[in-house]
């Protein structure tokens, strides 16, 4: 049986299964957020699908640092993947209990989305916001350990 926890994906969702193209975009420089304002940190180049019946499989790998920022012992933030129509198609909530408000925690989160765009041209965005404390998404101009967005076109 297929299930996500064992590291396999449900093959029924990938009925065509042929990989047609792959595009990756890296976060060039680290960015930080201390407010609940939703901000785009990675925006894909326009993806032109070879058929309107094809799907996109998106993976966002975010290296982050969640901090109390000297204001809270309970920092919290969210990362999202948005499609071009401004729909949140994946999200992850991050929250840590700290022993003091100057503490921080570095980690990685991965978001995945599989969907069929309404037409053959699509832009995908990774966005984030902070509820308490500070969230920093790690970037790097040489792409070592930088947060990134990978988009794959899957044939129908």
């Amino acid at each position: 049986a297929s299930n996500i926890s064992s590291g396999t994906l449900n093959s029924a969702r990938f009925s065509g299964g042929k990989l047609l193209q792959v595009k990756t975009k890296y976060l060039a420089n680290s960015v930080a957020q201390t407010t609940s304002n939703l901000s785009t940190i990675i925006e894909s180049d326009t993806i032109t699908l070879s058929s309107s019946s094809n799907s996109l499989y998106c993976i966002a790998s975010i290296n982050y640092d969640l901090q109390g920022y000297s204001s809270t012992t309970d920092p919290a933030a969210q990362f999202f993947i948005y499609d071009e129509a401004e729909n949140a198609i994946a999200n992850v909530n991050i929250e840590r209990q700290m022993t003091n408000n100057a503490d921080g925690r570095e980690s990685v989160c991965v978001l995945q989305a599989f969907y069929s765009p309404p037409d053959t041209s699509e832009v995908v965005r990774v966005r984030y916001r902070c509820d308490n404390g500070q969230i920093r998404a790690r970037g790097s101009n040489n792409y070592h350990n930088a947060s990134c967005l990978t988009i794959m076109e899957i044939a129908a």
Side-chain angles (χ1 to χ4, degrees), residues 118-147:
D119 55 39
T120 58
S121 180
E122 186 78 357
V123 173
V124 178
R125 294 171 183 88
V126 175
R127 294 184 170 155
Y128 77 145
R129 69 178 177 209
C130 188
D131 294 328
N132 299 310
Q134 175 180 276
I135 186 73
R136 179 182 299 131
R138 299 288 185 185
S140 172
N141 60 5
N142 63 9
Y143 305 139
H144 292 192
N145 298 319
S147 299

Side-chain angles (χ1 to χ4, degrees), residues 16-149:
K18 184 176 181 186
L19 180 62
L20 300 177
Q21 65 174 310
V22 178
K23 293 187 179 250
T24 301
K25 190 81 173 252
Y26 293 90
L27 179 60
N29 297 301
S30 296
V31 293
Q33 177 81 281
T34 59
T35 70
S36 61
N37 297 333
L38 199 57
S39 298
T40 298
I41 59 172
I42 303 173
E43 181 172 295
S44 75
D45 296 331
T46 299
I47 299 132
T48 303
L49 286 77
S50 59
S51 169
S52 60
S53 60
N54 290 348
S55 297
L56 293 178
Y57 178 46
C58 308
I59 304 169
S61 176
I62 310 297
N63 291 314
Y64 70 87
D65 179 14
L66 183 64
Q67 302 173 1
Y69 202 58
S70 297
S71 64
T72 183
T73 58
D74 190 24
Q78 295 89 37
F79 287 99
F80 304 87
I81 296 177
Y82 273 81
D83 66 8
E84 189 163 2
E86 297 298 321
N87 298 305
I89 55 176
N91 73 293
V92 65
N93 298 307
I94 301 164
E95 187 172 1
R96 299 279 191 264
Q97 189 66 43
M98 309 276 178
T99 55
N100 79 50
N101 67 10
D103 285 347
R105 170 89 186 253
E106 292 191 34
S107 192
V108 177
C109 67
V110 177
L111 294 84
Q112 301 178 61
F114 182 77
Y115 73 104
S116 296
D119 55 39
T120 58
S121 180
E122 186 78 357
V123 173
V124 178
R125 294 171 183 88
V126 175
R127 294 184 170 155
Y128 77 145
R129 69 178 177 209
C130 188
D131 294 328
N132 299 310
Q134 175 180 276
I135 186 73
R136 179 182 299 131
R138 299 288 185 185
S140 172
N141 60 5
N142 63 9
Y143 305 139
H144 292 192
N145 298 319
S147 299
C148 70
L149 172 64

